Amino acid sequence: MKSRWVFHKLSSQLPSWVSTLLSPFKTQTHQNPFSGSSKFVLDHADISLLLSICGKQCLLHLGSSIHASIIKNFEFLDPDNRVSTRSALFVWNSLLFMYSKCGELSNAVKMFDHMPMKDTVSWNTVMSGFLRNGEFDMGFGLFKRMRESGLYQFDKATLTTILSACEGPEFCYVSKMIHGLVILNGYEHEITVGNALITSYFKCGCFCSGRRVFDEMLERNVITWTAVISGLAQNEFYEESLKLFAEMRCGSVDPNPLTYLSFLMACSGLQALSEGCQIHGLLWKLGIQSDLCIESSLMDMYSKCGSVEDAWRIFESAEELDEVSMTVILLGFAQNGFEVEAIQIFVKIVKSGIEVDPDMVSAVLGAFGDDTSLVLGTQIHALVIKKNFSDNTFVSNGLINMYSKCGDLEDSIKVFSQIMHAQSGNIYEVLAELFRHMTDEGYAPDKKFILYYLDQDGKGEPLGIEASTSGDTYDFGIMLLEMMTQKKPTRELFPDGLDLRKRVASAFPKHIMDVVGASLSRRHILGAQVVLYKGLGNAALKLLMQRLCARKRIHKNDHLCFW
């Protein structure tokens, strides 16, 4: 039996969920009256489809079981039969797909290396598995091997696979190199390749290149338009995004729901309430206003435009709600001055038994202010610990902000220290090194200010720095700013009354990282190989510096005030 495989003793042991998988297949079932067992007869197309389903649904056990059955029935392969050989390759590629989608890259590579024959699909499948799992060196290395072998020619699927992995400024040159290969090999008029190039360029921050690819495309579909409109909106080119959407509406290509979502994002960024209302009416006319993602985007748009009542009306009338919807409405109330209402909504959500996620907790923590109950804040902190959300950067930043706004600076610093400890175990050693460097540069930090916050056990072990007795000690907040900016207040950098605190404060919110010391961003502090910058995280670093710049006493004890 060279063209079909037989799987014995399968039906009686199949769970119901596997039976539903087999329902699409037109299988022949044979019953043995003597043994009572039955067998399914599946051809190559059936088995490939079943393996693809196993990969998409991560059914590794079933997929590997099918692999074992294939090995046992290997007589189907006739080296002299080209049809049989092509069918076998079709199944092998499906097995590669199944293993790579299930995250079993080692098994995929093992099988790839032992395949008696390969084609471009084989290379693309393994390459995609590595790139999808963030193993870029292996993925790009496979592409290099494929080209150097001279036996296989990459196709448009290869190019789109690589481009889909290019996300972030560090991949800008990779996108440009692939663009060069696109032109050299005559793929510049392939619409799928053009769409992938546009998406990649916008994700890498190469906006002009992405727009140029769009302008030069001879054929455009809805994915092409959506890629540019979305890319512009996501990179805060809101006006250009709205103009391009208007141009699309005048043409022959109709927007899809993703296009409308991108348009609503641009409306939110510009606070363009009039345009957003017009699209809302159009969505009603098209009958897609009840789509879950559309409703969340509409709520976000109305909230960003200050029309909280309209956002709440959509929220109340929604047939289905998810975590995104609830996070959006919480943020909408909190950012429009309805902090008490946001907290009340969150309390109702928790009491009703709805599962909360880190984004919802982060959103409600942003609603806390000077007059908010610290007791409720500590209860939310307990919920964070219970749900194991403490490792979430946004939740931790929200806790820091909540405690500091409620006047409990001590707990705010404790949470911040826990972030540093969790992500950079030897943070004390780094700070000690920084303090030593400060003394070498003529600074005189007072030990009592530092140890109160940084001595985890409260024992006050010395950090190897003598306490200042010369009267020129610096405040803890000033010292932290100096360490983070690596600038002295006496530098000529601060003329005409401008001081270090004012310089940092003037950089908020968009240019704060411009004043951070260069050595922090190099992950290299005074020779100590410590990833301090990564450990603090952008958001945590910004938040701490922002709190340090606040001219406000936020603790009842004078010696604990920053200034």
Side-chain angles (χ1 to χ4, degrees):
M1 189 171 226
K2 301 179 186 295
S3 62
R4 306 178 78 84
W5 292 322
V6 180
F7 294 86
H8 296 274
K9 298 180 181 178
L10 195 61
S11 63
S12 61
Q13 303 174 8
L14 282 178
S16 58
W17 54 270
V18 176
S19 300
T20 59
L21 288 181
L22 292 174
S23 61
F25 303 109
K26 297 179 179 179
T27 60
Q28 296 179 4
T29 306
H30 300 277
Q31 185 74 29
N32 189 325
F34 299 102
S35 65
S37 63
S38 61
K39 58 187 180 183
F40 284 92
V41 181
L42 306 176
D43 62 15
H44 298 81
D46 293 335
I47 222 55
S48 298
L49 180 56
L50 182 56
L51 285 169
S52 68
I53 294 175
C54 292
K56 292 174 182 177
Q57 299 189 17
C58 293
L59 303 174
L60 177 62
H61 182 71
L62 179 59
S64 57
S65 299
I66 295 172
H67 190 185
S69 298
I70 293 171
I71 295 172
K72 290 180 180 179
N73 294 272
F74 203 70
E75 69 275 6
F76 74 92
L77 178 58
D78 183 357
D80 299 325
N81 188 334
R82 291 191 60 186
V83 176
S84 177
T85 302
R86 289 177 59 85
S87 298
L89 183 58
F90 190 41
V91 173
W92 283 329
N93 289 338
S94 298
L95 281 167
L96 285 176
F97 173 81
M98 184 274 296
Y99 280 123
S100 64
K101 288 290 284 187
C102 291
E104 294 289 326
L105 294 180
S106 58
N107 286 330
V109 170
K110 189 183 301 182
M111 183 176 176
F112 179 80
D113 291 338
H114 289 87
M115 284 172 60
M117 64 193 74
K118 303 179 182 72
D119 62 1
T120 303
V121 176
S122 310
W123 288 88
N124 291 347
T125 303
V126 182
M127 199 183 309
S128 174
F130 279 114
L131 295 176
R132 187 170 52 248
N133 285 274
E135 300 189 31
F136 302 111
D137 289 341
M138 291 294 294
F140 295 144
L142 273 172
F143 180 65
K144 184 178 179 181
R145 278 178 53 194
M146 178 185 180
R147 295 209 66 205
E148 290 175 347
S149 69
L151 302 174
Y152 308 96
Q153 178 63 37
F154 63 84
D155 57 11
K156 60 183 180 182
T158 315
L159 299 171
T160 56
T161 296
I162 296 176
L163 288 170
S164 65
C166 296
E167 183 174 348
E170 64 272 20
F171 291 105
C172 185
Y173 288 108
V174 178
S175 298
K176 291 183 177 180
M177 286 190 289
I178 297 299
H179 194 176
L181 290 176
V182 167
I183 296 173
L184 288 173
N185 291 271
Y187 288 108
E188 65 270 24
H189 298 310
E190 288 286 346
I191 192 166
T192 55
V193 176
N195 293 342
L197 274 171
I198 292 171
T199 303
S200 175
Y201 273 134
F202 274 104
K203 286 184 176 180
C204 294
C206 304
F207 318 117
C208 295
S209 298
R211 185 59 192 264
R212 189 178 302 118
V213 172
F214 173 79
D215 292 336
E216 293 175 355
M217 288 182 68
L218 302 179
E219 181 185 358
R220 301 167 184 162
N221 58 16
V222 64
I223 299 175
T224 314
W225 287 92
T226 303
V228 182
I229 294 171
S230 173
L232 290 170
Q234 290 174 357
N235 288 281
E236 301 183 3
F237 296 102
Y238 302 123
E239 292 185 7
E240 291 85 348
S241 180
L242 295 184
K243 290 178 181 177
L244 200 62
F245 179 83
E247 183 181 338
M248 178 186 183
R249 290 273 294 157
C250 295
S252 58
V253 180
D254 293 326
N256 63 14
L258 291 177
T259 320
Y260 289 115
L261 288 175
S262 302
F263 180 86
L264 289 171
M265 182 191 301
C267 291
S268 299
L270 280 178
Q271 297 182 350
L273 181 59
S274 176
E275 289 81 355
C277 289
Q278 292 176 24
I279 291 300
H280 192 180
L282 179 59
L283 293 172
W284 268 98
K285 184 178 179 181
L286 296 173
I288 58 175
Q289 80 286 348
S290 298
D291 179 86
L292 194 57
C293 295
I294 293 289
E295 285 182 331
S296 297
S297 295
L298 284 169
M299 284 190 289
D300 181 66
M301 183 273 296
Y302 281 121
S303 299
K304 296 283 179 61
C305 295
S307 185
V308 184
E309 292 182 0
D310 288 322
W312 179 249
R313 193 175 295 115
I314 296 173
F315 182 81
E316 281 193 313
S317 62
E319 297 178 359
E320 183 183 358
L321 294 171
D322 63 355
E323 293 84 356
V324 176
S325 307
M326 290 182 277
T327 302
V328 167
I329 200 66
L330 288 171
L331 283 171
F333 274 90
Q335 294 173 353
N336 283 278
F338 298 97
E339 293 88 355
V340 176
E341 289 79 0
I343 295 173
Q344 290 174 349
I345 293 172
F346 181 80
V347 171
K348 288 182 179 180
I349 291 173
V350 175
K351 287 184 176 180
S352 64
I354 299 174
E355 194 69 25
V356 298
D357 67 357
D359 292 332
M360 295 168 62
V361 175
S362 175
V364 75
L365 287 172
F368 279 78
D370 298 340
D371 56 349
T372 314
S373 170
L374 180 60
V375 175
L376 182 58
T378 55
Q379 290 176 347
I380 294 178
H381 193 177
L383 178 66
V384 168
I385 297 172
K386 181 179 179 181
K387 297 286 186 180
N388 199 25
F389 294 160
S390 300
D391 293 335
N392 185 283
T393 303
F394 297 102
V395 172
S396 298
N397 294 339
L399 287 171
I400 295 171
N401 203 32
M402 180 273 293
Y403 278 122
S404 59
K405 282 184 176 180
C406 292
D408 192 347
L409 181 60
E410 181 179 350
D411 283 331
S412 180
I413 295 295
K414 282 181 180 179
V415 175
F416 182 76
S417 299
Q418 289 168 1
I419 298 175
M420 295 190 292
H421 275 287
Q423 302 183 9
S424 181
N426 50 355
I427 188 68
Y428 290 118
E429 177 184 345
V430 178
L431 288 174
E433 186 71 23
L434 285 168
F435 291 155
R436 294 188 189 97
H437 179 67
M438 289 175 66
T439 56
D440 292 341
E441 292 294 318
Y443 290 88
D446 191 330
K447 190 167 55 178
K448 69 178 182 180
F449 289 100
I450 308 303
L451 293 181
Y452 182 87
Y453 294 103
L454 298 185
D455 181 8
Q456 193 175 23
D457 301 324
K459 299 177 181 178
E461 273 84 5
L463 294 176
I465 308 171
E466 293 297 328
S468 169
T469 56
S470 59
D472 58 346
T473 62
Y474 285 93
D475 181 284
F476 177 56
I478 285 290
M479 282 196 293
L480 281 179
L481 288 179
E482 291 175 8
M483 286 187 285
M484 291 177 181
T485 61
Q486 297 174 343
K487 296 288 189 297
K488 292 183 180 180
T490 55
R491 292 275 300 271
E492 297 178 358
L493 180 68
F494 309 112
D496 301 327
L498 181 67
D499 58 21
L500 180 60
R501 187 197 65 80
K502 290 179 181 178
R503 172 174 169 77
V504 176
S506 65
F508 279 98
K510 294 185 177 180
H511 304 290
I512 186 60
M513 301 316 297
D514 295 341
V515 300
V516 174
S519 65
L520 289 178
S521 61
R522 288 197 302 265
R523 302 181 178 184
H524 214 190
I525 304 176
L526 308 174
Q529 299 290 335
V530 180
V531 192
L532 178 60
Y533 179 63
K534 181 180 179 182
L536 293 174
N538 259 14
L541 190 59
K542 291 179 182 179
L543 180 59
L544 179 65
M545 296 180 77
Q546 186 176 26
R547 299 308 298 170
L548 292 176
C549 289
R551 281 183 173 274
K552 183 177 181 181
R553 289 182 177 270
I554 50 181
H555 201 285
K556 59 183 179 181
N557 297 328
D558 290 343
H559 73 281
L560 296 181
C561 297
F562 285 164
W563 54 90

